[in-house]
Amino acid sequence: MWFDPAQGNPNAAVAQLYANRAVPQKLPLIMKQVNDENGNQTIISEFILLGLPIQPELKALFYALFLAMYLTTILGNMLIILLISLDSHLHTPMYLFLSNLSFSDMCFSSVTIPKLLINMESKKPAIPYPGCLTQMYFFLFFGDLESFLLVAMAYDRYVAICYPLHYTVMMSPKLCSILVVLSWVLTTFHAMLQTLLMSRISFCDNNIIPHFFCDTSALLKLACSDIHINELVLFMAVGLIIVIPFLLIVISYARILSSILRVPSVRGIRKAFSTCGSHLSVVSLFYGMIIGLYLCPSANNSTLKETVMSIMYTVVTPMLNPFIYSLRNQDIKGAFKKLLEGRKIPNTLGL
């Protein structure tokens, strides 16, 4: 069986959007038939990722751009982790969360960008069914982890500014470790639950995903079996992993602002905004794109708009995080300057 947009395929509108992309007009749909009590059932063994609607003459330019962005993400976040590991002055709760966030950003980009680059050079941009579920699992895992870590960082800033004299007691090493471990455990549970629920879904003879990765909502649109449980769990997950963390962050910074205004001091306000500015920038980028994509979808359900917004929070945000934290953070800049000058950075790791 072959995919041909001109032959009345249900996904013809999406295919037309990507018509100018350098992808063969006919792609093999690999499947097999099994018999059950209801007749034949189609089992898809791979999906076709349509990727990005890029003009053929611009493909090389965009390939170089995404490769540069990916390498910048990896090197920038690795540098953050290295500086925090080497400098004992950065062994504080905030930088513990930041090092975990940098690791999450590296992995989050690695889930989608390498496959996107491979498919841009491939005549058949396919992904096997097991590979699709694996990509979905790790995408959810590291995306959820970033959300929980941003909440922990907001709480850390709240305690540091509103209760500075009790900071070392309230943000004890034990509590910080619990917050980090809890973040990893919750993300593991949610990603595994969504993946197992997706594995029980049957798909029809349409295996075309109008995206550059295996997004949960895109896969559910291709299902031909009952997805009410999946939609219910997904709805609850959006509330628990996106809405509630975002509201907690907003409440934390509202309390911080209230605390600052009670004791108006130019120096205090400058210090508070210097400390919180970088975190607010990351929160705005990350949650702004996700809320706009999943909670406030466009009325015309523009595939191009969804793709661009997905790129913003899966590619651009992880790349910008190291710049945001390094350019606005005097401690990181100081540790980096010491590293460049070849001075010995005090550490507690015995290095």
Side-chain angles (χ1 to χ4, degrees), residues 154-155 157-164 170 247-263 272 276 280:
Y155 178 71
R157 292 302 85 204
Y158 164 71
V159 175
I161 294 175
C162 297
Y163 303 97
M170 296 179 67
L247 291 177
L248 290 175
I249 293 174
V250 171
I251 292 172
S252 296
Y253 280 100
R255 297 290 298 273
I256 289 174
L257 181 61
S258 175
S259 177
I260 293 174
L261 295 178
R262 280 201 299 266
V263 185
C276 302
L280 278 174

Side-chain angles (χ1 to χ4, degrees), residues 72-125:
T72 301
T73 300
I74 298 300
L75 295 177
N77 284 289
M78 285 184 64
L79 179 61
I80 295 290
I81 295 174
L82 177 65
L83 292 175
I84 294 175
S85 300
L86 294 179
D87 195 337
S88 61
H89 295 107
L90 301 181
H91 293 175
T92 62
M94 182 178 73
Y95 294 108
L96 169 65
F97 299 137
L98 178 55
S99 61
N100 278 269
L101 182 67
S102 294
F103 176 78
S104 177
D105 282 335
M106 287 194 301
C107 297
F108 193 45
S109 290
S110 299
V111 171
T112 57
I113 303 305
K115 183 60 178 175
L116 170 63
L117 294 174
I118 292 173
N119 285 348
M120 289 178 71
E121 291 296 308
S122 174
K123 294 182 179 180
K124 181 187 174 184

